[in-house]
């Protein structure tokens, strides 16, 4: 590696692929391979390779903008813009109370930013109304994992275990387009003699590589999982010894599964009984196997139960908490995992602690230097917060999200945002949401700042600053420091919001100590020397304010989400490797925990919990008026709302706009040819995009990618019906009709 190269990580998905940045003569940087990082070993997708394009001043914000009397956004000084934000939030707080101020974050914020944003909301604004767009990512899997295991970490094992297992069931994930570098693990799996089962209503590029592809109707993954578990029982494939020794609640879960016999499941899902039997055989015959879920089964109004059913399948067959076996969730957003662990989520405090746990409140309040009783309680979930804008919530501070494109029922959310008394947005680019703001602040991005992220494996990583940001651009940490000075200067609150990310991380370590997501044993120095450290990683007693009691105390170690029991850290922080001595202090250093649950689960008795679940229909089923199901997803050349990738010429050339994927039979009924505009209409609105005709989708289903605004905005159509536990909206299934459009 050249001496001038800076090792860092991609700004996009949760793989957080390693890359090196080398300086160019024009002041920019070029991406070069970083083969030492084990997740991607140098491989990058097009988004990662072209990421420096968004650093250009020609596509990003370089000056604060304020809304003029004429209604347009015009350049302003930083002091003017910050004063306006402080005045707007203070006025709302005075006139309507602290909960009239909302805060909405993003799954791309670093751990330091997410941590300070949660702290800012709760001690500067005093509001409970904070959540983030990661709620739309893996909240259903998190809730199900908490119920079953007592702890949620996307993958409880590293990606490198995948090639060594015997079979993987991949549910609702198109990795070939969403995380292309990860495909090597699945290719190696098959090269080693393992098998891959892909479950998706579309024959995606990922499904084309599977040994078995099951194509259920959207919204029926729960029935499918229950049908497979029924067959496991009926065929005598239950690991009875494992169930007896390491689980609880099997009989109720078994009874629920037995009500879903194969022929019944075939009628619900459209997956044939022989295919169901083949899937069970492929999954059960090897010694080791895994189930990995993604947004397909999770973004449903029954997503928690759906993931729970897949976890039940793993538990019944002894495929959890054992080497080379287990259940995992493929987190989507770059820091979707770390973003919620440290206080950006409505019901959580740093360290994955429950906000309504008195012991957790005391611990964090002590770190923050405030009275525990001053901390507000849990607030609204993401969609509920957005839905309350302009009514209960009158002002909003938004960082790193673009809900005008990414939220369900997006036209309604756009109207709610427009109805606010005051909106301030911090972003890299002028997104569709930022364009509606009263104040827009240009902030630094990945290569212009240092900070940590946590990838889908639970591997905490260090992004390093490689370039100087343009003049006029500041970091989100500076923004929060300046706003704290303006809103709480008489109390000296800005002192609690340092602008140095390492200083913030040091406080985060203390705040997380003893919690389920314990980062207290992780330092910037370690991250600079190692390829990441897996949490939980407790510190040696006395080194960060954590004590031995902190590390095992019951409520203090609670993992922190809905409907779960407290988990003790000693249940999960079992490392694969022995502790090493820190050369500087001579104290033992915890090596981190790549593999969870090998000895016991993070529940009070160490047993995993079966949760009985039963199939139920999607919140909105097809009828005569809306006879087709819509499902949504991503394409390889764009990312999330497209706010950044749509500004990269190479990516736009590969994916220039939205489309509607439909089966030839449906196209024939409409009289639509390839490329013809078609309209997709739901109860919430209408979207128009060119037809893409393929036999790779079910005849009763259409697909739209969700990266674009305007008339092709897929989320105009999607249903905000919420999962009762995770509060996840039902992005993946809603009833629509498709119409030909006169040209």
């Amino acid at each position: 590696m050249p001496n001038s190269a800076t090792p860092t990580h991609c700004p996009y998905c949760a793989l957080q692929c390693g890359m090196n940045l080398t300086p160019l003569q024009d002041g920019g940087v070029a991406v070069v391979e970083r083969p030492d990082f084990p997740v991607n070993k140098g491989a990058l997708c097009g988004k990662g390779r072209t990421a420096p394009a968004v650093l250009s001043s020609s596509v990003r914000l370089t000056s604060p903008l304020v809304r003029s009397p004429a209604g347009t956004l015009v350049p302003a000084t930083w002091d003017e813009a910050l004063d306006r934000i402080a005045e707007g939030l203070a006025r709302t707080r005075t006139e309507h109370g602290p909960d009239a101020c909302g805060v909405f974050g993003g799954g791309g914020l670093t751990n330091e930013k997410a941590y300070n944003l949660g702290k800012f909301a709760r001690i500067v604004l005093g509001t409970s109304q904070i959540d983030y767009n990661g709620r739309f990512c893996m909240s259903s899997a998190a809730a199900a994992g908490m119920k079953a295991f007592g702890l949620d970490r996307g993958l409880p094992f590293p990606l490198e275990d995948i090639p060594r297992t015997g079979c993987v069931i991949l549910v609702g994930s198109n990795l070939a387009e969403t995380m292309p570098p990860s495909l090597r693990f699945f290719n190696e799996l098959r090269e080693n003699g393992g098998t891959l089962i892909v479950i998706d209503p579309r024959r995606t590029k990922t499904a084309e590589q599977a040994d078995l592809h099951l194509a259920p109707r959207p919204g029926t993954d729960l029935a499918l999982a229950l049908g497979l578990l029924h067959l496991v029982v009926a065929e005598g494939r239950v690991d009875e010894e494992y169930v007896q020794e390491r689980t609880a609640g099997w009989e109720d879960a078994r009874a629920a599964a037995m009500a879903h016999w194969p022929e019944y499941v075939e009628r619900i899902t459209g997956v044939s009984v022989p295919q169901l039997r083949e899937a069970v055989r492929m999954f059960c015959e090897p010694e080791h196997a895994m189930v990995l879920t993604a947004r397909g089964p999770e973004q449903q109004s029954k997503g928690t139960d759906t993931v729970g059913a897949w976890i039940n399948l793993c538990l019944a067959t002894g495929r959890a908490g054992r080497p080379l076996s287990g259940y995992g969730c493929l987190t989507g957003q770059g820091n979707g995992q770390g973003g919620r662990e440290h206080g950006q989520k409505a019901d959580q405090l740093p360290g994955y602690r429950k906000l309504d746990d008195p012991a957790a409140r005391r611990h964090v309040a002590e770190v923050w230097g405030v009275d525990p009783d001053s901390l507000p309680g849990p607030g609204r979930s993401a969609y509920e917060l957005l839905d309350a804008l302009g009514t209960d919530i009158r002002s909003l501070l938004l960082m790193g999200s673009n809900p005008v494109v990414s939220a369900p029922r997006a036209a309604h959310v756009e109207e709610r945002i427009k109805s606010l008394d005051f909106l301030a947005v911090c972003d890299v680019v002028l997104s569709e949401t930022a364009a509606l703001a009263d104040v827009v602040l240009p902030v630094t991005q990945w290569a212009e700042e240092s900070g940590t992220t946590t990838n889908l494996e639970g591997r905490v990583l260090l992004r390093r600053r490689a370039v100087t940001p343009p003049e006029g651009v500041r970091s989100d940490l500076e923004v929060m420091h300046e706003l704290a000075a303006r809103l709480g200067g008489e109390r000296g609150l800005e002192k609690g919001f340092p602008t140095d990310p390492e200083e913030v991380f040091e406080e985060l370590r203390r705040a997380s100590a003893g919690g389920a997501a314990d980062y207290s044993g992780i330092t910037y120095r370690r991250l600079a020397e190692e390829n990441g450290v897996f949490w939980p990683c407790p510190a040696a007693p006395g080194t960060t304010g954590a004590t031995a009691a902190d590390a095992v105390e019951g409520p203090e170690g609670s993992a922190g989400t809905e409907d779960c029991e407290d988990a003790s850290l000693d249940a999960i922080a079992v490392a694969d490797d022995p502790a090493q001595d820190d050369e500087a202090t001579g104290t033992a250093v915890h090596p981190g925990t790549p593999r969870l649950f090998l000895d016991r689960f993070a529940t009070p008795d160490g047993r995993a919990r079966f949760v009985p679940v039963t199939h139920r229909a999607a919140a909105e089923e097809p009828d005569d008026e809306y006879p087709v199901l819509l499902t949504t997803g991503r394409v390889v050349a764009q990312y999330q709302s497209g706010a950044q990738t749509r500004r990269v010429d190479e990516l736009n050339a590969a994916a220039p706009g939205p489309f509607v994927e439909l089966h030839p039979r449906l196209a024939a009924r409409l009289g639509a040819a390839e490329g013809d505009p078609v309209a997709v209409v739901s109860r919430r609105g209408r979207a128009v995009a060119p037809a893409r005709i393929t036999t790779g989708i079910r005849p009763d289903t259409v697909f739209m990618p969700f990266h674009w605004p305007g008339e092709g905005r897929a989320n105009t159509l999607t249903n905000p019906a919420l999962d009762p536990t995770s509060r996840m909206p039902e992005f993946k299934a809603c009833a629509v009709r498709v119409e030909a459009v006169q040209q």
Side-chain angles (χ1 to χ4, degrees):
M1 183 177 73
N3 292 331
S4 58
T6 302
T8 190
H9 296 273
C10 179
Y12 291 114
C13 82
L15 286 179
Q16 288 296 281
C17 290
M19 59 171 62
N20 289 319
L21 297 180
T22 59
L24 299 173
Q25 289 185 348
D26 63 4
V29 291
V31 171
V32 296
E33 288 188 0
R34 183 183 166 188
D36 67 301
F37 188 61
V39 170
N40 62 310
K41 293 188 176 179
L44 292 166
C45 71
K47 295 186 290 293
R49 286 188 297 97
T50 61
V54 187
L55 297 170
S56 170
S57 296
S58 65
V59 300
R60 55 92 58 82
L61 294 167
T62 57
S63 171
L65 303 174
V66 298
R67 187 73 57 184
S68 72
T72 59
L73 286 171
V74 297
T77 67
W78 268 94
D79 281 340
E80 180 184 358
L82 289 165
D83 287 345
R84 281 223 200 172
I85 296 174
E87 290 165 5
L89 295 173
R91 183 169 57 251
T92 295
R93 193 172 56 181
T94 299
E95 295 177 359
H96 303 286
D99 273 358
C101 296
V103 177
F104 198 84
L109 299 182
T110 62
N111 290 318
E112 293 80 0
K113 294 177 183 180
Y115 172 82
N116 264 12
L117 189 60
K119 181 180 178 181
F120 180 89
R122 293 178 175 110
I123 71 172
V124 177
L125 296 178
T127 182
S128 66
Q129 301 304 302
I130 175 172
D131 210 79
Y132 83 130
N133 63 15
R135 175 79 69 168
F136 301 154
C137 178
M138 59 174 292
S139 57
S140 293
M146 293 301 307
K147 288 183 176 185
F149 307 133
L151 177 71
D152 152 51
R153 194 180 82 185
L155 292 181
F157 44 77
L159 286 162
E160 65 189 33
D161 284 0
I162 290 173
R164 298 187 292 152
T165 193
C167 176
V168 173
I169 299 180
L170 189 60
V171 190
S173 176
N174 182 15
L175 289 171
E177 300 207 57
T178 59
M179 296 180 174
S182 70
L183 273 185
R184 73 175 181 87
F185 296 103
F186 298 88
N187 293 336
E188 290 173 17
L189 165 74
R190 299 184 68 202
E191 290 168 3
N192 292 340
T195 56
L196 175 63
I197 301 171
V198 171
I199 298 173
D200 198 303
R202 304 165 61 220
R203 188 162 180 80
T204 62
K205 292 180 180 178
T206 307
E208 289 173 356
Q209 301 185 42
D211 298 282
L212 177 64
H213 172 216
L214 308 181
R217 284 178 76 242
T220 64
D221 310 85
L222 176 53
L224 180 61
L226 287 164
L228 296 180
L229 182 54
H230 177 110
L231 287 170
V232 165
V233 176
E235 296 177 3
R237 297 181 184 271
V238 175
D239 188 332
E240 301 285 357
E241 181 180 355
Y242 173 92
V243 168
Q244 182 176 358
E245 292 181 355
R246 298 204 60 188
T247 72
W250 167 233
E251 289 305 319
D252 288 343
R254 178 185 182 279
M258 296 314 289
H260 298 76
W261 60 95
E263 292 76 14
Y264 172 57
V265 169
E266 180 182 68
R267 290 199 300 272
I268 294 171
T269 65
V271 177
S272 70
V273 173
Q275 283 185 308
L276 295 173
R277 294 188 183 279
E278 178 63 5
V280 168
R281 183 195 67 77
M282 291 171 62
F283 183 68
C284 292
E285 285 188 353
E287 182 180 359
H288 310 292
M290 299 173 179
V291 172
L292 304 177
T293 66
R295 306 300 80 77
E298 297 163 20
Q299 288 181 327
Q300 299 185 29
S301 60
K302 53 182 182 294
T304 302
D305 285 357
T306 301
V307 174
W310 290 105
I311 291 175
N312 287 348
L313 178 67
C314 288
L315 293 176
T317 53
R319 307 306 175 91
R322 284 178 167 173
L324 306 182
S325 293
Y327 163 77
C329 163
L330 297 167
T331 312
Q333 295 189 79
N335 198 32
Q337 182 74 49
R340 73 178 180 283
E341 290 168 2
H342 301 299
Q344 210 179 179
K345 194 163 171 276
D347 57 349
Q348 287 178 192
L349 287 169
Y352 223 145
R353 289 179 161 92
K354 295 176 68 173
L355 185 54
D356 56 4
D357 176 359
R361 293 168 68 87
R362 286 195 302 271
H363 174 88
V364 174
E366 182 178 358
V367 174
W368 289 352
V370 300
D371 183 343
D373 293 337
S374 70
L375 298 177
R380 292 176 172 89
S381 70
Y383 179 77
E384 292 167 303
L385 189 158
L386 295 171
D387 190 41
L389 299 181
T391 54
D392 293 345
I393 299 174
R394 310 298 291 266
S395 292
L396 182 68
L397 174 63
L398 186 147
M399 285 188 174
S401 185
N402 188 19
V404 165
V405 178
S406 63
R409 198 185 174 196
H412 171 74
V413 168
E414 182 176 355
E415 289 304 312
R416 292 289 87 223
I417 289 173
K418 290 178 178 177
S419 72
L420 283 164
D421 295 343
F422 182 79
L423 171 64
V425 173
C426 301
D427 211 332
V428 172
V429 297
L430 189 66
S431 69
E432 287 72 23
T433 304
L436 303 177
D438 296 284
V439 180
V440 183
L441 299 181
V443 292
T444 52
Q445 53 181 308
W446 63 292
E448 301 165 346
E449 60 188 10
S450 294
T452 62
T453 61
T454 307
N455 82 343
L456 76 172
E457 305 166 296
R459 188 194 302 253
V460 184
L461 304 164
L462 179 62
R463 286 186 189 166
R464 297 166 176 86
R465 174 170 166 159
V467 297
T468 302
E471 185 178 353
V473 173
R474 299 185 185 179
S475 76
D476 297 277
L477 296 181
E478 291 178 270
V479 170
M480 286 182 273
H481 175 87
E482 292 293 337
L483 290 178
R486 286 164 169 79
L487 291 164
E490 70 284 354
R491 294 180 285 162
L493 293 182
E494 73 277 9
K495 297 175 183 176
F497 293 88
T499 60
D500 177 12
E502 186 170 5
E503 189 175 345
V504 177
F505 189 79
E506 287 300 305
E507 183 179 295
L508 184 158
R509 293 174 64 205
R510 292 190 288 118
S512 73
D518 190 334
Y519 285 28
S520 62
I522 305 173
T523 64
Y524 268 38
R525 183 172 67 84
R526 284 191 67 180
L527 295 177
E529 295 171 353
E530 304 175 33
N531 274 322
V533 178
F534 292 85
W535 70 260
C537 182
T543 56
T544 65
T547 65
D550 288 330
V552 297
E553 193 174 20
E556 280 290 303
S558 83
T561 192
E562 305 89 340
D563 299 332
C564 67
E565 299 174 84
D566 291 333
S568 297
L569 191 61
D570 62 346
I572 53 177
V574 179
D576 289 349
D577 303 312
Q580 304 295 319
D581 285 343
D582 185 288
E583 294 180 2
T585 65
T587 56
V589 174
H590 193 286
T593 316
R595 296 170 182 85
L596 298 171
F597 315 137
L598 296 183
D599 294 324
R600 66 196 306 267
F601 294 95
T603 56
D605 61 4
R607 291 174 173 265
R609 304 286 192 265
F610 281 98
V611 179
V613 293
T614 303
H615 171 72
R616 59 185 186 274
E620 189 175 83
E621 287 288 319
D623 56 20
D624 290 343
E625 187 175 2
Y626 301 97
V628 177
L629 282 165
L630 167 71
T631 193
T632 64
R634 287 167 47 190
V635 297
V636 67
Q638 301 289 353
Y639 182 71
Q640 304 299 75
S641 75
Q644 294 183 48
T645 51
R646 285 187 276 111
R647 287 166 168 80
V648 179
D649 291 342
E650 181 179 330
L651 300 179
N652 282 333
F659 56 87
V660 180
E661 191 174 275
L662 66 165
H663 192 274
R665 293 212 297 266
L666 177 56
R669 289 202 298 271
L670 298 174
E674 179 76 15
D676 286 352
V678 295
V680 183
V681 184
S682 78
R683 291 177 173 86
R684 289 154 295 281
R686 183 175 189 265
V688 178
R692 183 172 293 183
I693 301 171
T694 173
T695 57
I697 193 168
R698 293 174 55 95
D700 58 3
T701 301
V702 295
F703 166 83
M704 290 188 72
F706 56 73
H707 309 291
W708 288 273
E711 70 170 3
R713 181 174 59 185
N715 278 320
T716 296
L717 309 168
T718 48
N719 189 355
L722 301 180
D723 180 287
T725 301
S726 67
R727 315 309 289 168
M728 168 74 83
E730 189 149 61
F731 287 98
K732 288 303 186 225
C734 72
V736 298
R737 66 173 179 267
V738 187
E739 302 170 341
V741 175
Q742 294 289 337
Q743 297 188 61

